[in-house]
């Protein structure tokens, strides 16, 4: 067992050495060690103190995290049958352990004794916060439950972990399970060379002639935006929007319908076991928001303000499609295509025109330069074992000292989950031996990979995605907190965790910053002033429609969980239809099953919390407004944001940190202004 790479504590993961059959032995050994330690901590007669309770428990938790982080990551970026089987077998073990830990009354009582002791006041703020969070989490884990209720809680958690994993696997399998092989070039009229090259290389890699289209976003989106063949767009749209459902070309094959129904029922039961009216109220307990009702009011207000703008956006699109494209009735699969044509007509600009000016290498170099100007940290390539040749490893330096590191995995490929995300590989903490453990992050995207003829060229939308994820990474890596429970993104209220990510996106729209991240991939020439002006003018193109789409997701999620009635559960589709009736400005086809691939809420951490994106966007827009006042590269303001927000992690309440930076509570005005939704437009 000593040769097991998953048990090499304190080292970076040895990805090349990790094999599926090593996962369960390593996990069982670490769980046994942790359980033995917990028993000893509970039996200890000495007065509870940080060093004899919280610190050793943190140490044990960190060892488990270091074992599981590479396993969980590989499951997302290099999925295989063997790894999936081992991962599936490990989840129940982890869930059982987490339930045991959260319901360990002896441990809870020791923590309460520490909180009540004179020694508590002597602890620094982050450690006090960690203890407060631990006590809260014990209660939310059912530490007070007895008998059947206690056993039922554990059974529900076990089943929810299994269902969430199956949901995610179904989405991945459904995404990869449908493809389209095309041999008639006429079907691909209108598509840009970058997409055609991607399709051609995908076909060649499979020993095929012609072109090969998958449902991965870098392949799917260009077809929807540029393909003149309406039938092709409809075919792709049907396949994409019915993934993992009872509809579409793969109907029933990876169907998440029953999983969704069971997940909602179990979440509601879990909430009621803990004394909450519904799962939405349970979800709010550790968040900034005070209640589901407060969040619903917030979302409804945003919807009311932005819906007239969205309706105007759609009316303009309908008129353009009718008069210029010969489409008297817009279908859902026409909207991306017609929108791109309208953008081109109005601004003489398309995302494809921008690609040559945003080669990935230049964007990364510019991103690093922007972060240096704002926060005084630098980046350098370093050597580390990775899971794929495309993956890079970087160190983060402040004043010449390494303070963190991260892995960069930018390109889409087979057996890799779609989307973009940041995850922690290591958390900053002061170890029991006094050594400082530095944070390490996984930064993952799914951009179009380099081809034989060109480097990876990003759309401006993809540039924004990169900045978003890097903002999460900075939050994790720039922390100065030494207590793992509240360092980096740990302990941050879920509806505030998007603040740094959305905040950093703003520099994608600033002329000074764009000059740093752009340059033609062949000539190095800067983005022409005319093109830049068009891009900035088009920033809020269809911003009303985009706002309504996000509000639709958030309201659907919250109403699904807040309005759940176990005696007579409403069909999920009916809930979604009602939300769309309130906020959507164009109809969706009956076969659309968006909810069946809504992994954020059914397989991720956003259940009854998807509103967090808009909630945090209020914070991020208002924070950026201070840079607009002081100068977008004002080093003093950047230092204050770093010290007030990025360095603090979850060591203080999110509202306190925001007010420390902004000097007041957040206001919604900046969000509406940045989105092009002003009071004048709304009242018009």
């Amino acid at each position: 067992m000593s040769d097991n790479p998953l048990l090499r504590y304190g080292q970076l993961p040895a990805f090349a050495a990790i094999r599926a059959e090593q996962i369960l032995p390593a996990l069982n050994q670490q769980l046994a060690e942790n359980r033995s330690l917990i028993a000893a901590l509970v039996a200890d007669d000495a007065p509870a103190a940080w060093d004899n309770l919280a610190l050793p428990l943190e140490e044990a938790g960190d060892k488990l995290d270091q074992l599981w982080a590479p396993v969980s990551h590989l499951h997302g970026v290099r999925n295989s049958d063997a790894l999936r089987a081992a991962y599936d077998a490990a989840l129940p073990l982890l869930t059982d352990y987490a339930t045991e830990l959260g319901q360990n009354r002896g441990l809870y009582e020791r923590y309460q004794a520490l909180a009540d002791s004179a020694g508590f006041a002597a602890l620094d703020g982050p450690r006090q916060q960690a203890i407060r969070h631990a006590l809260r989490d014990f209660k939310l884990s059912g530490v007070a439950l007895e008998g059947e209720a206690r056993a039922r809680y554990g059974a529900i958690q076990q089943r929810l972990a299994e269902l969430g994993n199956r949901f995610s696997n179904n989405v991945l399998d459904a995404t990869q399970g449908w493809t389209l092989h095309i041999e008639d070039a006429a079907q691909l009229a209108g598509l840009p060379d970058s997409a055609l090259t991607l399709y051609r290389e995908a076909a060649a890699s499979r020993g095929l002639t012609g072109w090969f289209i998958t449902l991965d976003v870098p392949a799917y989106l260009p077809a929807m935006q540029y393909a003149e063949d309406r039938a092709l767009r409809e075919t792709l749209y049907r396949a994409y929007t019915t993934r993992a459902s009872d509809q579409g070309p793969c109907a029933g094959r990876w169907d998440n319908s029953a999983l969704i129904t069971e997940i909602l029922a179990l979440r509601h039961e879990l909430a009621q076991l803990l004394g909450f009216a519904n799962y939405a109220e349970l979800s709010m307990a550790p968040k900034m928001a005070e209640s589901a009702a407060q969040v619903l009011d917030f979302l409804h207000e945003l919807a009311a303000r932005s819906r007239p703008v969205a309706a105007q956006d759609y009316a303009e699109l309908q008129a353009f499609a009718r008069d210029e494209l010969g489409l008297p009735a817009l279908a859902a699969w026409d909207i991306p295509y017609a929108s791109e044509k309208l953008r081109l007509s109005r601004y003489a600009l398309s995302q494809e025109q921008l690609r040559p000016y945003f080669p990935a290498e230049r964007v990364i170099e510019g991103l690093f330069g922007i972060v240096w100007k704002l926060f005084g940290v630098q980046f350098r390539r370093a050597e580390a074992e990775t899971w794929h040749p495309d993956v890079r490893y970087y160190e983060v330096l402040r004043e010449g000292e390494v303070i963190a590191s991260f892995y960069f995995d930018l390109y889409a490929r087979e057996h890799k989950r779609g989307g973009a995300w940041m995850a922690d590989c290591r958390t900053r903490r002061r170890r029991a031996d006094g050594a400082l453990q530095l944070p390490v992050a996984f930064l993952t995207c799914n951009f179009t990979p380099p081809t034989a003829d060109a480097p990876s060229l990003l759309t401006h939308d993809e540039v924004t995605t990169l900045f978003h994820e890097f903002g999460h990474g900075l939050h994790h890596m720039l922390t100065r907190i030494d207590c793992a429970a509240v360092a980096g993104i740990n302990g941050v209220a879920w509806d505030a965790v998007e603040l740094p990510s959305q905040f950093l996106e703003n520099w994608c729209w600033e002329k000074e910053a764009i000059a740093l991240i752009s340059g033609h991939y062949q000539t190095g020439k800067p983005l022409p002033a005319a093109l830049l002006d068009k891009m900035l003018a088009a920033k809020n193109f269809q911003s009303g429609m985009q706002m309504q789409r996000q509000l639709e997701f958030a309201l659907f999620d919250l109403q699904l969980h807040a309005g759940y009635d176990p005696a007579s559960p409403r069909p999920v589709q009916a809930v979604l239809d009602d939300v769309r009736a309130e906020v959507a400005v164009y109809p969706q086809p009956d076969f659309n099953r968006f909810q069946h691939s809504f992994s954020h809420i059914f397989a991720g951490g956003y259940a009854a919390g998807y509103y967090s994106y808009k909630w945090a966007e209020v914070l991020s827009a208002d924070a950026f407004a201070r840079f607009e006042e002081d100068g977008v590269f004002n080093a003093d303001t950047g230092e204050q944001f770093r010290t007030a927000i990025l360095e603090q992690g979850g060591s203080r309440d999110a509202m306190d940190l925001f007010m420390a930076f902004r000097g007041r509570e957040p206001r919604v005005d900046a969000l509406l202004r940045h989105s092009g939704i002003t009071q004048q437009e709304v009242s018009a």
Side-chain angles (χ1 to χ4, degrees):
M1 182 64 71
S2 59
D3 292 334
N4 194 314
L6 293 169
L7 293 171
R8 296 172 190 167
Y9 182 65
Q11 302 176 30
L12 290 173
F15 290 105
I18 295 173
R19 299 191 305 276
E21 61 268 23
Q22 297 165 329
I23 294 172
L24 289 178
L27 183 60
N28 281 318
Q29 178 176 325
Q30 190 60 56
L31 290 177
E33 290 179 8
N34 284 18
R35 286 186 169 105
S36 177
L37 171 73
I38 291 166
L41 294 177
V42 171
D44 191 350
D45 292 332
W50 180 267
D51 288 346
N52 70 6
L53 178 63
L55 181 57
L57 194 61
E58 179 186 281
E59 195 95 348
D62 191 59
K63 288 180 178 179
L64 183 59
D65 289 345
Q66 290 200 26
L67 182 160
W68 188 246
V71 174
S72 177
H73 187 66
L74 288 173
H75 184 253
V77 298
R78 201 182 70 192
N79 203 290
S80 68
D81 291 344
L83 179 61
R84 181 181 292 189
Y87 183 92
D88 291 353
L91 272 188
L93 305 179
L94 286 165
T95 306
D96 276 345
Y97 173 75
T99 301
E100 284 175 29
L101 186 64
Q103 295 188 343
N104 189 312
R105 201 159 298 167
L107 202 58
Y108 167 69
E109 290 168 356
R110 293 276 287 165
Y111 264 88
Q112 189 63 61
L114 173 55
D116 294 339
S117 71
F120 180 78
L123 295 174
D124 62 15
R127 284 167 177 76
Q128 290 186 3
Q129 183 81 322
I131 292 167
R132 285 191 289 267
H133 283 186
L135 289 170
R136 176 200 68 195
D137 293 343
F138 274 117
K139 293 170 184 174
L140 295 179
S141 297
V143 73
L145 296 176
E146 301 280 0
E148 289 184 11
R150 189 180 184 89
R152 181 59 183 155
Y153 177 96
I156 291 174
Q157 288 286 39
Q158 190 70 261
R159 182 63 176 162
L160 283 172
E162 177 190 343
L163 293 171
N165 185 46
R166 283 175 54 192
F167 185 100
S168 181
N169 286 340
N170 282 346
V171 174
L172 177 62
D173 291 344
T175 301
Q176 298 191 341
W178 186 94
T179 58
L180 184 64
H181 180 212
I182 293 177
E183 295 188 285
D184 180 4
Q187 284 187 265
L188 300 173
L191 278 155
D193 289 341
S194 58
L196 294 174
T197 301
L198 180 69
Y199 301 160
R200 195 180 302 112
E201 291 191 354
S205 70
R206 293 164 173 81
L208 301 172
T209 58
W211 301 266
F212 195 85
I213 306 178
T214 70
L215 294 180
D216 289 324
V217 170
Y220 171 77
L221 195 56
M224 297 305 298
Q225 290 177 313
Y226 298 104
E228 295 173 6
D229 188 328
R230 196 182 190 202
L232 174 62
R233 298 199 305 269
E234 180 180 357
T235 296
L236 285 163
Y237 178 87
R238 282 180 179 272
Y240 189 82
T241 61
T242 58
R243 288 174 300 154
S245 80
D246 58 337
Q247 299 288 313
C250 298
R253 188 167 178 193
W254 297 285
D255 190 359
N256 276 332
S257 299
L259 274 62
I260 291 172
T261 300
E262 188 176 355
I263 286 169
L264 292 172
L266 290 175
R267 284 176 178 168
H268 186 81
E269 185 182 352
L270 186 77
Q272 296 212 311
L273 276 175
L274 295 175
F276 294 91
N278 52 61
Y279 190 82
E281 294 298 346
L282 169 58
S283 172
M284 298 298 146
K287 293 182 170 70
M288 277 183 74
E290 295 171 7
S291 66
Q294 181 194 25
V295 175
L296 284 170
D297 287 345
F298 164 73
L299 295 174
H300 286 309
E301 180 187 359
L302 272 185
R305 288 198 186 196
S306 57
R307 196 176 196 281
V309 181
Q312 183 177 338
D313 286 344
Y314 186 58
E316 291 172 354
L317 184 65
Q318 284 180 302
F320 176 80
R322 180 188 64 240
D323 299 340
E324 304 296 331
L325 303 179
L327 293 171
L330 275 178
W333 46 90
D334 297 323
I335 289 174
Y337 174 76
S339 295
E340 196 60 27
K341 292 289 189 185
L342 176 57
R343 187 205 306 265
L344 189 61
S345 171
R346 183 175 294 174
Y347 303 105
L349 177 77
S350 75
Q351 286 283 328
E352 287 302 310
Q353 285 175 281
L354 297 173
R355 269 193 200 272
Y357 292 96
F358 291 107
E361 298 298 332
R362 180 61 180 264
V363 174
I364 292 168
E365 178 185 344
L367 168 61
F368 290 170
I370 289 166
V371 172
W372 159 249
K373 285 173 173 284
L374 290 173
F375 306 127
V377 294
Q378 295 174 295
F379 307 90
R380 71 181 179 202
R381 286 284 294 270
E383 292 298 320
E385 193 174 298
T386 67
W387 54 93
H388 190 275
D390 288 344
V391 178
R392 305 172 185 181
Y393 179 74
Y394 289 89
E395 292 175 334
V396 186
L397 298 91
R398 181 189 290 126
E399 297 177 351
E401 178 187 357
V402 176
I403 61 168
S405 58
F406 62 97
Y407 297 88
F408 236 176
D409 186 357
L410 296 180
Y411 306 123
R413 60 179 178 270
E414 280 192 291
H415 309 299
K416 181 180 177 183
R417 176 161 59 91
W421 67 92
M422 191 285 292
D424 55 321
C425 175
R426 297 283 184 276
T427 298
R428 179 181 165 113
R429 56 182 295 269
R430 182 69 62 179
R431 291 174 13 186
D433 62 7
L436 180 63
Q437 177 173 290
L438 298 179
V440 184
F442 294 123
L443 289 163
T444 309
C445 297
N446 271 278
F447 301 144
T448 303
T451 66
D453 303 321
S456 175
L457 303 174
L458 308 185
T459 65
H460 189 258
D461 289 344
E462 289 175 326
V463 172
T464 305
T465 296
L466 178 62
F467 272 64
H468 180 102
E469 298 308 330
F470 208 77
H472 281 309
L474 292 175
H475 201 187
H476 177 67
M477 296 186 292
L478 299 192
T479 186
R480 298 295 290 268
I481 304 302
D482 293 348
C483 173
V486 290
I489 60 172
N490 293 335
V492 178
W494 199 254
D495 42 8
V497 81
E498 297 293 335
L499 164 57
S501 55
Q502 293 175 333
F503 167 81
L504 199 62
E505 288 181 31
N506 288 288
W507 275 265
C508 299
W509 296 100
E510 292 297 321
K511 285 188 176 182
E512 290 178 71
I514 291 169
L516 297 174
I517 60 175
S518 63
H520 197 281
Y521 79 99
Q522 291 172 318
T523 66
K525 289 183 179 179
L527 188 66
L531 208 53
L532 174 59
D533 289 343
K534 290 173 186 176
M535 188 183 93
L536 296 177
K539 176 186 177 185
N540 290 320
F541 176 64
Q542 295 185 340
S543 60
M545 286 170 60
Q546 292 168 16
M547 174 77 82
Q548 295 304 96
R549 178 174 167 80
Q550 286 299 306
L551 292 172
E552 176 185 313
F553 295 168
L555 280 165
F556 166 64
D557 167 44
L558 202 56
Q559 293 189 5
L560 200 60
H561 291 94
Y564 187 84
D565 180 0
S568 180
R570 291 194 69 209
V572 171
Q573 188 65 50
V575 176
L576 182 55
D577 290 345
D578 283 353
V579 170
R580 285 173 172 162
E582 177 189 352
V583 302
V585 293
Y586 58 86
Q588 295 287 352
D590 291 341
F591 62 76
N592 182 296
R593 291 294 183 270
F594 142 77
Q595 63 270 29
H596 284 68
S597 58
F598 197 3
S599 296
H600 275 77
I601 71 167
F602 292 117
Y606 284 87
Y610 195 85
Y611 77 89
S612 299
Y613 283 102
K614 281 299 164 199
W615 187 276
E617 200 174 347
V618 171
L619 305 178
S620 66
D622 202 5
F624 181 67
R626 185 175 163 196
F627 282 84
E628 292 178 305
E629 297 159 9
D630 298 348
V632 294
F633 280 122
N634 186 296
D636 290 339
T637 309
E639 181 181 2
Q640 289 175 45
F641 186 85
R642 189 192 77 213
T643 56
I645 306 289
L646 298 177
E647 292 183 354
Q648 298 303 317
S651 64
R652 292 168 57 197
D653 289 347
M655 183 61 80
D656 292 342
L657 296 181
F658 180 88
M659 291 178 66
F661 173 70
R662 201 66 175 99
R664 56 165 174 74
E665 291 189 353
R667 299 171 185 162
V668 74
D669 311 55
L671 169 61
L672 294 172
R673 176 169 54 81
H674 290 161
S675 301
I677 300 170
T678 65
Q679 281 302 109
Q680 290 76 18
E681 286 174 310
V682 171
S683 61

